[in-house]
Amino acid sequence: MTVSDSPYGAMELAVAKDTGPYICGLDAAMDVVGGKWKALILWALDDGGTLRFGRLRRQVPGVSEKMLIQQLRELEADGIVHREVYREVPPRVEYSLTEMGQGLNAALAPLGAWANEHMEQILSAKQRDVA
């Protein structure tokens, strides 16, 4: 079923997306990695392995503490990131990719390669839009 075929219209499908249904697999994937920071968080965890919050924040330049917490919670809820809390004083929290998160990162690698290959054209097009 497409959005235009839905008897409820686009708004109802978008609202129902939190619990399903998705139009296709790409729709579900974009729901998981959508936004500016999630793919960068995935890359940082893939590159750095298990990271504490402060180190992860340094690995994702420009992200605010509030946004990083929000994005990590969403990724954890989607089963992409594992959060391990150690009952110590002071408390220690570490983040790592789940098996599903590692698979998602592998799926995103060709997209990153494509962007690296076309970076100049992408930047040029963005500069034309600004001018």
Side-chain angles (χ1 to χ4, degrees):
M1 174 188 306
T2 65
V3 173
S4 59
D5 295 335
S6 168
Y8 306 109
M11 180 60 81
E12 285 77 11
L13 271 182
V15 170
K17 194 178 265 192
D18 290 338
T19 57
Y22 291 108
I23 296 168
C24 65
L26 186 57
D27 186 23
M30 293 307 296
D31 189 34
V32 173
V33 296
K36 179 176 181 177
W37 302 109
K38 287 183 181 177
L40 297 175
I41 293 167
L42 291 174
W43 178 83
L45 287 171
D46 187 60
D47 190 49
T50 300
L51 297 175
R52 293 177 72 174
F53 183 85
R55 177 83 187 267
L56 181 56
R57 186 166 178 209
R58 287 188 297 275
Q59 296 291 98
V60 184
V63 69
S64 69
E65 184 173 329
K66 178 182 175 183
M67 182 57 68
L68 181 57
I69 290 168
Q70 177 185 337
Q71 300 294 280
L72 284 167
R73 285 181 182 157
E74 290 176 16
L75 289 167
E76 183 183 8
D78 287 334
I80 304 299
V81 168
H82 172 71
R83 180 177 184 259
E84 185 73 34
V85 180
Y86 295 91
R87 308 272 177 222
E88 301 173 348
V89 178
R92 177 171 49 120
V93 179
E94 294 180 338
Y95 296 91
S96 60
L97 291 176
T98 63
E99 188 176 321
M100 195 163 82
Q102 291 169 359
L104 178 57
N105 230 10
L108 290 172
L111 182 61
W114 174 87
N116 282 332
E117 184 179 326
H118 297 91
M119 189 75 69
E120 287 184 30
Q121 293 120 312
I122 294 168
L123 290 171
S124 178
K126 296 288 181 192
Q127 289 170 352
R128 279 194 308 267
D129 287 345
V130 173

